[in-house]
């Protein structure tokens, strides 16, 4: 089984209240056995999909070098979304 990869950034702590409201609005705790921990929330910048294992290390190295050459930046979050149906979001 191949792993699927994505490039993402950690969701800012300022989204915690919005995420909590969203989870309550859609009753996600009632619909799912496992809800991602707040520390695991992220913003996906690019979904890569399946990637051969020998390409993972070089990709991580290139991303780390890219991150080292860029400063922090401001990010405004004005909403959340999900995959799938509102009756069974993922």
């Amino acid at each position: 089984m191949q792993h699927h990869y994505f490039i993402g950034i950690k969701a800012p702590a300022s989204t915690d209240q919005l995420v909590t409201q969203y989870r309550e609005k859609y009753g996600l705790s009632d619909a799912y056995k496992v809800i991602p921990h707040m520390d695991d929330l992220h913003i996906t910048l690019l979904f890569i999909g399946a990637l051969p294992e020998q390409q993972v290390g070089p990709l991580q190295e290139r991303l780390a070098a890219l991150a080292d050459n860029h400063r922090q930046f401001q990010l405004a979050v004005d909403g959340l979304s999900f995959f799938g149906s509102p009756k069974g979001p993922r």
Side-chain angles (χ1 to χ4, degrees):
M1 178 178 139
Q2 279 192 317
H3 295 285
H4 289 89
Y5 296 91
F6 65 90
I7 297 171
I9 56 175
K10 185 168 173 38
S14 60
T15 62
D16 289 358
Q17 183 179 359
L18 183 61
V19 169
T20 299
Q21 291 170 351
Y22 204 81
R23 287 178 173 181
E24 290 171 2
K25 177 180 178 180
Y26 289 99
L28 298 183
S29 295
D30 298 331
Y32 297 95
K33 284 193 240 180
V34 178
I35 300 293
H37 191 274
M38 295 295 268
D39 290 341
D40 293 333
L41 297 179
H42 66 274
I43 298 167
T44 300
L45 301 175
L46 177 68
F47 178 74
I48 298 171
L51 192 65
E53 196 63 37
Q54 65 269 23
Q55 292 182 356
V56 174
L59 176 61
Q60 288 174 324
E61 290 172 12
R62 291 186 73 186
L63 289 171
L66 197 89
D68 287 344
N69 291 319
H70 288 80
R71 300 180 308 141
Q72 291 182 340
F73 58 92
Q74 292 288 327
L75 178 66
V77 176
D78 65 358
L80 296 174
S81 191
F82 52 82
F83 298 102
S85 162
K87 293 182 179 182
R90 297 180 31 195

